[in-house]
Amino acid sequence: MTEKDAPIGVFDSGVGGLTVVKEIMRQIPNERIVYFGDTARVPYGTKSKATITRYSEQIVRFLQKSQVKAIVVACNTASAIALEELEGKVKLPMIGVVKPGAKVAVGATQNGRIGIIGTEATVSSGIYTKYIEQFSHNIKVIGKACPLLVPLVEEGLLQDPVTDEIAKRYLDELIDIDIDTLILGCTHYPLIHTTIQRIVGENVNLVNPAYETARELKEMLKQGGLISNNEAGLGSDRYRFYVSDGADKFKNFANSIIKYGILTAKTVNIEEF
Ligand code: DGL
């Protein structure tokens, strides 16, 4: 296989990165993908920098063994905490979800008040504010950590009164301060997009960084001469999914989100990498 036709590696702490995979499949359908969801160790958002970095490095080593041509860090927490260090160590084109999300939010706001919801690690890193300030100086950014939303999504409670109630408690604070744009700063949250939109109201733009991430990924591959055009040779293993635990549960979840035939998932002992 030529380098162009090698797969793109995508990872997240669990199912959240599937929201990014779905967008990559839509925007660059001729690409192969190897996905890793760290379902045994999710959530990342409550863990320390050292742990998040160690986990991310292990996954990158696993993806490198699968001979990927580029890596998408489809996890805001890992993008916020570990991406810089990974970029320093790994000689592969790499993209995270935070910078693309910040860029879209700056373009979307009219009143200059952007809310960002994410994990504790992402929100306390202040990384969205840092990137938003690079794009514009007159914007107020208000962050709110929503730690309980990730386990609710991992449990598949996408439309459930419990998820509604918890999301409402987190979001009330942001509604009160009149944001007009809200970044879904965790790749799990687009899976409860409808619930979040209902709570914040139709006048608030919800930004899902996945779209812009896939667009920038395509650009990055083009510039590196790495775009695949080998549709005929993609074969049945064009999309491969790996997890660190609970492969069957993950497979069912993935199939409910990505309507691409039947996806299979395999378990990997990620601690070996
Ligand atoms: N989906 C991830 C994110 O975008 C991580 C959630 C977690 O593991 O806490 O931040």
Side-chain angles (χ1 to χ4, degrees):
M1 190 190 298
T2 64
E3 200 189 0
K4 273 185 179 185
D5 296 325
I8 298 164
V10 183
F11 77 91
D12 178 46
S13 60
V15 298
L18 294 172
T19 60
V20 182
V21 165
K22 196 173 171 181
E23 200 47 44
I24 297 171
M25 289 173 167
R26 202 179 66 78
Q27 293 191 35
I28 30 179
N30 286 344
E31 298 294 337
R32 296 169 192 275
I33 295 172
V34 176
Y35 181 87
F36 184 84
D38 202 356
T39 45
R41 305 187 293 193
V42 65
Y44 280 14
T46 48
K47 298 193 169 74
S48 66
K49 181 177 167 67
T51 299
I52 297 165
T53 306
R54 183 170 72 82
Y55 288 176
S56 303
E57 284 175 353
Q58 286 178 320
I59 297 169
V60 166
R61 283 196 285 272
F62 165 72
L63 292 173
Q64 281 181 296
K65 224 185 140 203
S66 305
Q67 301 193 317
V68 297
K69 63 181 173 186
I71 291 180
V72 180
V73 184
C75 172
N76 287 263
T77 308
S79 300
I81 307 298
L83 180 58
E84 218 175 291
E85 211 160 314
L86 291 172
E87 280 172 335
K89 288 186 181 165
V90 181
K91 305 259 162 300
L92 273 178
M94 230 183 260
I95 184 169
V97 285
V98 171
K99 199 170 176 185
K103 186 174 162 197
V104 175
V106 169
T109 185
Q110 298 282 322
N111 74 356
R113 298 173 76 80
I114 297 176
I116 137 87
I117 51 173
T119 65
E120 282 163 355
T122 302
V123 172
S124 64
S125 75
I127 190 151
Y128 269 100
T129 312
K130 189 181 117 194
Y131 282 125
I132 286 170
E133 278 169 2
Q134 276 180 18
F135 294 119
S136 169
H137 286 303
N138 298 319
I139 291 177
K140 183 157 173 53
V141 185
I142 307 105
K144 175 78 186 163
C146 306
L148 289 173
L149 296 183
V150 168
L152 289 167
V153 170
E154 287 283 328
E155 279 308 308
L157 299 175
L158 306 183
Q159 275 170 8
D160 191 279
V162 176
T163 308
D164 277 25
E165 174 58 30
I166 290 175
K168 195 169 168 336
R169 285 205 205 181
Y170 287 136
L171 295 167
D172 271 352
E173 194 179 299
L174 295 174
I175 300 168
D176 290 348
I177 43 186
D178 193 29
I179 54 161
D180 74 347
T181 300
L182 178 63
I183 303 173
L184 304 179
C186 170
T187 51
H188 282 70
Y189 300 169
L191 296 167
I192 50 167
H193 183 284
T194 317
T195 303
I196 296 173
Q197 187 80 71
R198 187 169 5 92
I199 295 169
V200 296
E202 289 302 321
N203 294 334
V204 175
N205 304 305
L206 294 193
V207 172
N208 172 4
Y211 174 83
E212 179 63 16
T213 303
R215 203 194 61 77
E216 290 185 19
L217 168 68
K218 185 175 177 181
E219 212 37 56
M220 185 175 89
L221 295 176
K222 263 192 200 158
Q223 279 174 17
L226 289 171
I227 278 276
S228 168
N229 43 25
N230 185 10
E231 192 171 11
L234 282 168
S236 58
D237 70 339
R238 68 193 287 183
Y239 300 136
R240 284 182 282 149
F241 292 83
Y242 297 90
V243 288
S244 44
D245 205 358
D248 280 343
K249 186 176 167 196
F250 177 90
K251 187 187 79 182
N252 293 337
F253 199 107
N255 278 309
S256 70
I257 296 168
I258 296 168
K259 312 281 183 209
Y260 176 85
I262 297 292
L263 306 171
T264 55
K266 289 188 186 145
T267 306
V268 166
N269 182 1
I270 199 66
E271 291 289 359
E272 281 177 358
F273 285 85

